[in-house]
Amino acid sequence: MNGGGKTTPTNASSGTGTLANLLHEQRRFPPSSDFTAQANVTAEAYAQADADYQAFWDREAGRLAWAQQWTNVLDWSNPPFAKWFVGGKLNAAYNCLDRHVEAGRGDKVAYYFEGEGGDTRTITYAQLTDMVCQAANTLADLGVKAGDRVAIYMPMIPETVVAMLACARIGAPHTVVFGGFSADALRTRIHDCDARIVITADGGYRRGQPAGLKSAVDEALLDCPDVRSVLVVRRTGQDVAWEDGRDIWWHDSVEQASTHHHAEPFDAEHPLYVMYTSGTTGKPKGILHTTGGYLTGCAYTHWAVFDLKAETDVFWTAADIGWVTGHSYIVYGPLANGATSVLYEGTPDTPHQGRWWEIIDKYKVTLLYCAPTAIRTFMKWGAQIPDKYSLASLRLIGSVGEPINPAAYIWYRDTIGHGRTPVVDTWWQTETGSIVVSPLPGVTAGKPGAAMKALPGFRVDVVDDEGQPVPNGSGGYLVLTQPWPAMLRTIWGDDDRYVSTYWSRFPGLYFAGDGAKKDDDGDIWVLGRVDDVMNVSGHRLSTTEIESALVSHPIVAEAAVVGATDDMTGQAVVAFVILRSEAGDGGPDVVQQLRQHVAKEIGKMARPRQIMVVAELPKTRSGKIMRRLLKDVAENREIGDVTTLADSTVMELIRSSMPGME
Ligand code: 6R9
């Protein structure tokens, strides 16, 4: 299959995850000769980077404007604590904004913003620079200094980007908390990084309704005495409670401020942001990214993986800014490269199921980047919906967040890419900061389901329990074997956890927490998490965190949570709970009550799809819950080996209570 024409989906499997399923699809999709002829990166890049990866990154950092040149590309004298571009100084916001304006590209569009309800704004680089300078001046007036943390809890609107870049401009690391998180989750994050300022909005639009954000901030701040100011953007116009002296309207402050602001250069290792992500314990991890290496990694990968032509492309990452994908590929990568992006506020089915395709048609989007869970939803809705729009502008489409099952890959390639566009399945993590494993669109013959190879400049491997590379055709754990510029520097406030989580399982190797397989060609298939982290519609959720939320409810004695394979969302949360004896059977709405409780504690996306009230949980003799067996139940499988159970009758008991499932 080479280039144009629809592919016939013979062989395509419909499951979502097992290797057997993945391997059904044998076709390869080399790029067309036209695509290859114009591609940014050629196959030689691999060998060049392999010859000397530090020299490679030394060149790539030249994509940025540095106020002071670095003396050392990498200082790895105290592993795993890396310093990249040692001695270099730069300002991230200057790199994303001013330098494009100074180069005469001020009129170029930075964002086409599309509100859910259809309101639009076109924002040029010159305008965005002014807005960011104003916000930087306001933050400085509020006493924010370099190094202070600022929490951002916003909908998907241009002011969110402005807020992030204003923080970057004054060297105040931001922590963007996804708007779907609850007040409690916001509070935990504010506490953990000790943020003193919160930037929010009255609300945002979600499925046609204004959804409150300021109200959640108010609730969170009941227990955050150190937060002194809340800057509030008016988006929906809904009523908000107001605390004089603390709350400040954006339009009364930022929009009145001077558009002049000098961007002071910061050290390459100055903290840029903290992004919280789920780990294997209940406490979320604050992943720290710094300035020079992170921005280099974003700019290079955005250019290489998406074959970016900054002058002509219209790039759309259809993801939330509160996810690392939004940070790297809505904000920092595209802006560092001077690209034009689409920013869409809402959901894919509001006001109708053709919303995405309408947006692509309207703005002539050339590069689309989204998650497999969205693709599977569109598959369910049917090809007749995108078929109503012209998608002829698309020249490359990408996927991120979970393994893309071959059926979804083929559908995406055929129905959205018209069998013509390369598909890039990109593997990376909050921790890696930038894409690590991905096809190169002008080089790689894509295989549905495989993320393929480490990009030039990165080195990954699949290793066995002893940390030894597995041969082709075998599975193991995905690791990175050398440092890379956009790597996390630590877990905020917890260097020990950084070392133990990522660098201790296999000494000298970065352990990603994913299982993977090398196929017979040595290409990499990522199989999903090997720890207690679930991936639900691209949201990373920890089993422990949801279990803690459940047991914090007064009627729950014990809880076990598993991620069950789900055709639509990749994985779905299934919970097993034991009620306290005084709660009896919990009453008729016990399931509803507990789901709501999880929504309140963590956020709606963490609500279990199913909750089973059970009498016992399967435990080993050492008291460890055997989630593997619960997963068998949740996925309706034969129950596996129960020999290590303390009480082997427990599983029968649980099975027999199956009708109790919601
Ligand atoms: C960018 C992002 C990271 C986890 C990661 C893995 C899964 C991401 C994937 C993929 C298979 C891909 N993941 N991309 N699995 N193929 N192309 O998603 O960051 O939210 O930190 O999640 O997502 O399990 O470890 P994050």
Side-chain angles (χ1 to χ4, degrees), residues 26-93:
Q26 295 290 351
R27 283 171 297 169
R28 281 175 155 259
F29 299 102
S32 68
S33 48
D34 286 354
F35 194 99
T36 299
Q38 59 82 64
N40 286 349
V41 188
T42 60
E44 287 74 63
Y46 290 110
Q48 279 165 8
D50 276 353
D52 184 343
Y53 79 98
Q54 294 194 28
F56 172 85
W57 287 114
D58 192 48
R59 285 192 300 276
E60 289 303 328
R63 294 181 180 280
L64 306 178
W66 295 77
Q68 189 173 305
Q69 180 71 16
W70 55 94
T71 51
N72 242 352
V73 176
L74 170 66
D75 175 357
W76 192 235
S77 58
N78 179 29
F81 298 94
K83 290 191 181 131
W84 280 89
F85 309 115
V86 181
K89 284 188 193 297
L90 76 169
N91 184 290

Side-chain angles (χ1 to χ4, degrees), residues 185-381:
L186 174 62
R187 181 175 53 225
T188 317
R189 286 154 177 76
I190 290 174
H191 279 170
D192 191 76
C193 71
D194 192 19
R196 304 296 170 95
I197 304 279
V198 180
I199 308 180
T200 188
D202 49 359
Y205 290 103
R206 200 94 196 134
R207 300 194 188 283
Q209 297 298 321
L213 289 168
K214 170 72 163 61
S215 49
V217 172
D218 291 336
E219 196 185 326
L221 294 194
L222 291 175
D223 194 21
C224 298
D226 294 333
V227 172
R228 56 177 191 270
S229 308
V230 180
L231 196 49
V232 189
V233 175
R234 186 145 71 199
R235 167 66 182 143
T236 59
Q238 68 198 103
D239 283 341
V240 289
W242 205 253
E243 193 172 308
D244 286 328
R246 185 195 73 181
D247 300 347
I248 306 142
W249 282 114
W250 179 278
H251 54 261
D252 286 341
S253 51
V254 175
E255 287 173 17
Q256 312 303 322
S258 161
T259 55
H260 296 284
H261 181 272
H262 171 69
E264 182 197 334
F266 294 102
D267 192 272
E269 285 298 337
H270 189 80
L272 181 62
Y273 69 82
V274 178
M275 160 132 282
Y276 285 87
T277 188
S278 295
T280 48
T281 70
K283 191 170 177 269
K285 300 176 285 196
I287 303 300
L288 175 68
H289 283 293
T290 59
T291 308
Y294 173 77
L295 211 56
T296 299
C298 288
Y300 157 67
T301 53
H302 181 243
W303 171 84
V305 173
F306 300 103
D307 190 50
L308 179 82
K309 307 290 189 279
E311 292 312 313
T312 47
D313 275 319
V314 178
F315 181 73
W316 183 19
T317 292
D320 199 279
I321 290 185
W323 183 22
V324 71
T325 304
H327 278 48
S328 298
Y329 300 106
I330 297 178
V331 182
Y332 288 108
L335 293 179
N337 287 333
T340 297
S341 292
V342 168
L343 181 66
Y344 173 54
E345 178 185 29
T347 48
D349 55 354
T350 308
H352 58 80
Q353 294 181 336
R355 195 73 172 100
W356 277 29
W357 322 119
E358 181 182 70
I359 290 172
I360 289 172
D361 195 351
K362 175 172 175 184
Y363 296 108
K364 304 293 170 232
V365 171
T366 56
L367 311 168
L368 174 67
Y369 192 34
C370 67
T373 182
I375 299 166
R376 289 192 294 268
T377 306
F378 297 133
M379 277 174 82
K380 186 178 75 174
W381 293 344

Side-chain angles (χ1 to χ4, degrees), residues 409-420:
Y409 181 110
I410 297 286
W411 188 90
Y412 193 34
R413 189 176 193 280
D414 279 354
T415 310
I416 306 307
H418 295 299
R420 178 176 50 77

